[in-house]
Amino acid sequence: MYNYHTDLVWLIDRALLCFLILLGIYIIIYAVIKEHFGGMRRRALVSIKKNLYKLALSGQTPSEKTCPLAVSDSTIQQFLDIEANRLREVLFFDEPEQKLFKDCFATPDKIAKIENIAKRSTNKWHRVEAIISLGYAQDVSAIGILEKILLDKDEDVSYFSMVALGQIKTASSAKILIGLLKKRPTARYKIASILENFPPATIYEVIELADDPDPSVRFWAMKLISKLKPESYIKKVEALTDDESGDVRAAACECLGSLEKRAAKVALLKCLKDRIWFVRMHAARALSKILGKECIPYVIDLIKDNSWYVIDTVKHIMAEHIETALPYIEESLYGEDEIAKRTSIESLEVSGYVKKLLYDSFSEDNDRSSRALRILEGMIKSDAHFGLERALSNLEEAPRNKFFEIIKNIDKAMGEHIEKKLNQQLDEL
């Protein structure tokens, strides 16, 4: 037997209805207030943009006399709106306008106030805005303050001080960030991503990281050098191809590839025989970058590697330099190693060279025709049927029919199968 408390149910329903009505009123009021203040924000920025435009047209340089007309009582929020283009969908400020506004806004008095907020404000996000503003203002005098803020317990505050130092881009700010990279393992990726945007001349001290006892620090040193490409460090990078850490050896190979100096060839050839697969992989990629097609004889043996990642790397290198790789591909197709055969066929497919082989097989040049037919025969005998189908499907009817006969002469069953499939006489799941 059930007891229904009708009065209680109605009371709850009325309470929920009142709550929904109040919530709806709150949402409407919030939307109106937000739109009101958003409109004020946009109108203020439009006014600043007009003033900046007039100042730019006048040809006058920023000064105590001209700047008040453009900046007036601009706030930190407006400074960030303009310098970071935070409302770019509504109003966009180009680089000259941003520079003009910064020159007017970043007065000593204004900077002093922003520095005070960054150091002492109890409102976290006001502090963050002030810290970001110091970065956009590229205020060198604020470097010491930002260095202290780096040690703040709040991770957001600390992170934005790193970003601000990264915007200032001086040797001093770089030195601080490099020191932090050594001390803070969890932030190394973030710090490295900031430092890689510095001019190479400002972070010469990064090479000192290559001698750090921590292999993780040495690893990030290689990552930074590969981005900054300071050529004078090549000998130090080559030395790290003998590092005890496989991660560092791999990063050193990648770095040498980015520097693209042929002098690194000897160090990279040694790494092709490294005991760790990802070192061999990065060494092969680096050799491809610095030697181009000349790398093929050196990396081709890795087609028999015991790592699929290394084999896949060789496949793409062969595809990139397919003409040079053809003799090795032909040798693999007539060899006993099934993985090498499959990799060779895939390199031909990836490069789009199969179609060229088809046309070369009809060439009046006997040498070209013979080579193409040998490779195609090797592909057919290795059951490379999908690559052939893809290439044949793009041929005109006459040469395609002619090639069907060539395939049938080599493998009648395959030739008939491909012919029926491409002529839509066969369904294949």
Side-chain angles (χ1 to χ4, degrees):
M1 185 146 182
Y2 298 97
N3 292 320
Y4 292 96
H5 302 282
T6 308
D7 293 340
L8 179 60
V9 171
W10 277 107
L11 180 63
I12 294 171
D13 287 344
R14 283 195 292 272
L16 289 173
L17 179 62
C18 291
F19 173 76
L20 288 173
I21 292 171
L22 291 173
L23 181 62
I25 293 170
Y26 169 78
I27 292 171
I28 292 170
I29 293 172
Y30 174 80
V32 170
I33 293 173
K34 184 178 179 182
E35 179 58 31
H36 171 71
F37 284 105
M40 289 178 60
R41 182 178 179 183
R42 290 191 293 272
R43 286 191 293 273
L45 290 176
V46 168
S47 177
I48 291 172
K49 188 173 179 71
K50 288 179 180 177
N51 291 336
L52 289 173
Y53 183 68
K54 291 177 183 176
L55 180 57
L57 283 180
S58 72
Q60 295 176 295
T61 56
S63 66
E64 291 183 5
K65 182 179 179 181
T66 59
C67 278
L69 299 174
V71 176
S72 62
D73 296 323
S74 299
T75 63
I76 292 177
Q77 184 189 63
Q78 289 169 340
F79 177 64
L80 291 178
D81 284 344
I82 293 168
E83 297 303 312
N85 264 319
R86 295 197 297 191
L87 299 179
R88 62 188 303 122
E89 296 83 4
V90 178
L91 193 64
F92 182 81
F93 289 82
D94 58 28
E95 288 186 16
E97 290 171 334
Q98 290 173 330
K99 185 179 185 309
L100 192 57
F101 186 78
K102 182 177 71 175
D103 291 343
C104 285
F105 181 85
T107 62
D109 289 343
K110 186 79 75 172
I111 291 296
K113 290 178 182 178
I114 296 173
E115 288 176 352
N116 192 51
I117 294 171
K119 288 189 292 185
R120 296 188 174 87
S121 178
T122 55
N123 185 308
K124 170 181 171 177
W125 296 111
H126 285 174
R127 283 191 76 194
V128 167
E129 281 193 327
I131 290 166
I132 297 172
S133 296
L134 292 174
Y136 275 109
Q138 295 180 316
D139 178 39
V140 176
S141 65
I143 289 177
I145 294 169
L146 293 171
E147 182 178 14
K148 293 177 181 177
I149 297 174
L150 280 175
L151 305 176
D152 198 279
K153 294 180 181 178
D154 189 302
E155 289 187 7
D156 292 319
V157 173
S158 177
Y159 170 72
F160 284 108
S161 65
M162 279 191 279
V163 173
L165 284 167
Q167 289 171 314
I168 295 174
K169 291 184 174 64
T170 65
S172 297
S173 61
K175 184 176 181 179
I176 292 168
L177 290 170
I178 288 169
L180 187 66
L181 186 144
K182 295 172 67 174
K183 297 174 184 176
R184 193 174 293 180
T186 56
R188 282 172 183 159
Y189 178 81
K190 295 176 184 176
I191 298 168
S193 66
I194 293 170
L195 283 170
E196 68 184 30
N197 293 309
F198 274 61
T202 62
I203 63 165
Y204 56 89
E205 292 182 355
V206 74
I207 195 61
E208 295 178 5
L209 297 178
D211 295 320
D212 195 272
D214 185 343
S216 178
V217 173
R218 299 197 299 274
F219 170 85
W220 283 111
M222 293 299 95
K223 290 292 186 180
L224 281 171
I225 292 172
S226 68
K227 293 289 185 180
L228 298 165
K229 297 180 171 45
E231 297 176 6
S232 58
Y233 295 170
I234 190 167
K235 291 298 180 184
K236 174 64 74 173
V237 178
E238 285 180 357
L240 287 177
T241 58
D242 287 321
D243 196 90
E244 63 184 21
S245 166
D247 288 330
V248 175
R249 296 198 302 276
C253 290
E254 184 180 16
C255 185
L256 290 172
S258 69
L259 295 176
E260 297 184 9
K261 294 295 178 182
R262 293 180 69 91
K265 173 182 169 182
V266 174
L268 290 169
L269 288 176
K270 173 192 61 187
C271 289
L272 289 178
K273 299 177 181 178
D274 197 276
R275 66 182 185 278
I276 297 179
W277 68 266
F278 53 83
V279 178
R280 300 193 298 273
M281 178 183 74
H282 282 292
R285 290 177 179 176
L287 281 168
S288 179
K289 284 185 178 181
I290 67 173
L291 297 181
K293 64 183 181 180
E294 295 175 28
C295 77
I296 293 294
Y298 300 111
V299 304
I300 197 66
D301 284 344
L302 292 179
I303 202 172
K304 301 174 183 178
D305 200 86
N306 57 12
S307 166
W308 282 110
Y309 293 100
V310 176
I311 294 171
D312 190 63
T313 296
V314 176
K315 176 183 75 179
H316 284 92
I317 292 173
M318 290 164 65
E320 186 178 356
H321 310 292
I322 194 67
E323 287 279 2
T324 306
L326 283 180
Y328 302 97
I329 288 173
E330 184 179 344
E331 183 180 343
S332 294
L333 290 175
Y334 288 94
E336 301 297 326
D337 190 321
E338 293 300 322
I339 293 176
K341 286 183 184 180
R342 180 54 47 194
T343 304
S344 296
I345 291 168
E346 288 176 2
S347 70
L348 289 167
E349 294 172 355
V350 168
S351 67
Y353 202 78
V354 177
K355 186 174 181 179
K356 185 176 187 310
L357 289 173
L358 295 178
Y359 280 112
D360 282 354
S361 67
F362 308 140
S363 173
E364 294 180 359
D365 183 325
N366 289 333
D367 290 339
R368 179 182 295 182
S369 175
S370 297
R371 184 184 70 169
L373 285 170
R374 284 196 307 273
I375 294 173
L376 289 169
E377 182 177 353
M379 291 179 66
I380 293 166
K381 290 182 175 178
S382 300
D383 197 29
H385 132 9
F386 294 111
L388 290 170
E389 286 176 8
R390 193 179 304 114
L392 283 165
S393 65
N394 295 319
L395 290 180
E396 295 178 359
E397 185 177 358
R400 184 169 68 178
N401 290 335
K402 187 176 180 181
F403 193 72
F404 286 149
E405 297 305 316
I406 294 175
I407 298 177
K408 289 176 188 176
N409 288 336
I410 299 169
D411 187 324
K412 184 176 181 181
M414 180 187 284
E416 290 177 349
H417 175 87
I418 294 175
E419 182 178 19
K420 288 179 180 177
K421 184 175 181 183
L422 294 183
N423 290 332
Q424 299 180 345
Q425 298 172 347
L426 176 70
D427 292 326
E428 185 174 65
L429 294 177

